Amino acid sequence: MAVLEVKNITKNFGRVEVLKGIDFSLEKGEALSIIGSSGSGKTTLLRCLNFLETPENGEIYVDGECVFDAKTDKKLNAKELRNRQLNFGLVFQNFNLFPQYTVLDNVCLAPKLLAKNRPDFRANKKAIFAEIEENAREIIERVGMTSRIDMYPCQLSGGQQQRVAIARALALNPKILCFDEPTSALDPELTGEVLKVIRSLKDGDCTMVIVTHEMNFAKEVSDKIIFMDEGVIAEQGPPEIFDNPKTERLKAFLTAFGQ
Amino acid sequence: MGSVSFLSVTLTLLEGFLTTFLIFAVTLVAAIPLGLVVTFGSASKIKPISLVVRCFVWVIRGTPLLLQILVLVYGPGLVFGQQFYENSVGVMIAFIINYACYFSEIYRGGIESISRGQYEAGHVLGMTKGQVFFKVVLLQVVKHIIPPMGNEIITLVKDTSLVRIVGALMFLGTQHKEILGKSFEYVSVNALIWPLFYSGAFYLLFCGALTLLFGYIEKKLDYYKN
């Protein structure tokens, strides 16, 4: 069964139709790359998955369970919305780390706040926090940031900040981890370290949706490619579509990227 | 008359300083959190609330603190013929409300300076709105608003000198009702209340024009974000 199923998502900004009916599905452990030129709706689609935008139409299913239905969900209460959105994690283009917290605290903050909802929180606060911290240290190790665990974001390079941002998203153990152009704000020599981390997640069986302009990376890491153009999926398929694009639009797009 | 020595002058000044410090401390302790409430009120999604709060802030920021002190200390006596609280309480209320409104505007600027990405990051990490504000945004806001708050707090120290006016204008007190008899009402309404309101209106108009001007400049400069 598909871990993620998106049906007929549409989104308007005022009179502009940004998404005109998006359908796709994703199996557990798969990596999906969404490519396309700026303004094609890639980022908006990702934001819809993460409940940062509310689609006008459509449904989203995670593990077969409906987490969003435009017909009924417009007036969901905040708590229910938060629970549903925790199925997803999001890594932003410009990191958005919390500047006043250290690397460790950036990763621990949200899990610690969420732990307050646990019925045994009062009794086991210390143990719960210790467990969260231990888990955070493990994840920070995975992204290779252990040596800078007590530093503040302003003391880190862009690539390091993005690796911490990935750790922060992983700490909540989302079923689907989304990346919004994770390397676009980085100097070319720093993109490698971030891509390496994402690649390692792929080996670790993480289900991912990646909006990216790194064509070679998308081709290498993805099980599935979606090419978006003017708010629709113009072409989708396995990474082989890079070599054999069926549509003129994808051909033109790839040519522009020098593929 | 006792001899005026350096020591006695210093002691008198210290006594005065105690009053200054008391007003200063009470105003800060009450106005800093109240200002936040005012900020939330003026940003409220419930239109009537935000409208009333904004209007209130506009009036308070648009009239002199001196006038507000006079209204709160002598107003009830003049209008209702009796005072419901001590003069010092009236003074404190005037200071607290006045500074809460100024602080709220500083907070608003600070909150607006935080990038949307910080809110979104908190949001996708499953934080509640309150958690995003208190755990993520607040400390960043505090850092941003320290310089303007410093300005405002230094002004507060100097504004405490306005309290002298309450002592100097004792003749306005209700105790003179008996002496003036029937004419008290006439005097209070025509010689005191209306002039107070009317002069307040002038200040409000002048400050209103300035508020519009600065709002315009703020909007003009909104075409870029840093």
Side-chain angles (χ1 to χ4, degrees), chain A residues 47 82 85 97-98 100-101, chain B residues 118 120 123 126 135-136:
Chain A
R47 290 172 63 84
R82 273 198 305 283
Q85 110 189 21
L97 290 180
F98 305 134
Q100 73 270 42
Y101 292 116
Chain B
Q118 291 289 309
E120 291 184 345
H123 187 69
K135 296 287 179 180
V136 174

Side-chain angles (χ1 to χ4, degrees), chain A residues 47 50-52 82 85-86 88 90 92 96-101 109-110 113-114 168-169 172, chain B residues 115-129 131 134-140:
Chain A
R47 290 172 63 84
N50 284 276
F51 295 78
L52 290 174
R82 273 198 305 283
Q85 110 189 21
L86 282 173
F88 298 89
L90 178 62
F92 296 86
N96 289 331
L97 290 180
F98 305 134
Q100 73 270 42
Y101 292 116
L109 181 65
L113 291 172
L114 278 172
R168 183 175 69 173
L172 289 172
Chain B
S115 80
R116 208 177 56 165
Q118 291 289 309
Y119 292 94
E120 291 184 345
H123 187 69
V124 297
L125 289 167
M127 294 185 201
T128 65
K129 277 189 176 168
Q131 286 170 340
F134 286 105
K135 296 287 179 180
V136 174
V137 175
L138 187 60
L139 195 63
Q140 297 181 51

Side-chain angles (χ1 to χ4, degrees), chain B residues 9 24 34 57-58 70 80 111 121 141 144 156 189 195 200 202 207:
Chain B
V9 169
F24 174 79
L34 186 63
V57 171
W58 177 67
L70 290 179
F80 302 108
I111 290 172
V141 171
H144 268 104
L156 168 61
V189 171
F202 266 84
C207 292

Side-chain angles (χ1 to χ4, degrees), chain B residues 70-222:
Chain B
L70 290 179
V71 166
L72 273 161
V73 172
Y74 300 113
L78 293 172
V79 176
F80 302 108
Q82 70 173 96
Q83 228 162 342
F84 304 102
Y85 42 72
E86 298 270 316
N87 283 355
S88 56
V89 175
V91 169
M92 285 320 312
I93 296 175
F95 267 91
I96 291 167
I97 290 179
N98 184 279
Y99 274 87
C101 288
Y102 275 100
F103 289 165
S104 81
E105 277 297 290
I106 296 179
Y107 297 162
R108 181 183 68 85
I111 290 172
E112 282 174 3
S113 73
I114 305 300
S115 80
R116 208 177 56 165
Q118 291 289 309
Y119 292 94
E120 291 184 345
H123 187 69
V124 297
L125 289 167
M127 294 185 201
T128 65
K129 277 189 176 168
Q131 286 170 340
V132 171
F133 184 77
F134 286 105
K135 296 287 179 180
V136 174
V137 175
L138 187 60
L139 195 63
Q140 297 181 51
V141 171
V142 169
K143 186 176 170 163
H144 268 104
I145 66 174
I146 289 290
M149 284 298 275
N151 264 339
E152 208 56 52
I153 288 169
I154 288 166
T155 307
L156 168 61
V157 173
K158 293 181 286 184
D159 273 355
T160 57
S161 61
L162 290 173
V163 176
R164 283 298 298 156
I165 204 72
V166 177
L169 290 181
M170 275 310 273
F171 70 88
L172 278 173
T174 50
Q175 58 269 41
H176 294 96
K177 191 174 182 179
E178 284 155 35
I179 305 165
L180 284 168
K182 264 205 157 171
S183 56
F184 174 79
E185 211 159 288
Y186 179 82
V187 171
S188 62
V189 171
N190 290 299
L192 299 167
I193 295 178
W194 279 117
L196 276 182
F197 270 96
Y198 203 31
S199 61
F202 266 84
Y203 281 110
L204 204 53
L205 220 61
F206 193 3
C207 292
L210 285 174
T211 310
L212 287 179
L213 174 69
F214 277 96
Y216 172 76
I217 296 173
E218 218 177 303
K219 271 230 172 75
K220 265 272 171 203
L221 290 175
D222 229 14

Side-chain angles (χ1 to χ4, degrees), chain A residues 15-84:
Chain A
R15 254 184 270 164
V16 185
E17 282 182 87
V18 184
L19 299 176
K20 302 172 188 167
I22 301 291
D23 298 84
F24 69 88
S25 69
L26 198 59
E27 299 297 324
K28 192 168 169 27
E30 275 187 332
L32 163 73
S33 285
I34 304 177
I35 58 171
S37 45
S38 319
S40 59
K42 317 180 293 288
T43 293
T44 306
L45 175 58
L46 211 56
R47 290 172 63 84
C48 285
L49 290 181
N50 284 276
F51 295 78
L52 290 174
E53 307 286 354
T54 311
E56 264 83 36
N57 294 297
E59 292 139 48
I60 300 170
Y61 296 85
V62 173
D63 281 338
E65 201 180 311
C66 180
V67 296
F68 176 81
D69 183 347
K71 286 194 285 298
T72 56
D73 282 5
K74 292 218 162 121
K75 32 191 186 295
L76 263 185
N77 71 51
K79 195 175 172 201
E80 179 59 26
L81 208 67
R82 273 198 305 283
N83 283 338
R84 292 181 177 200

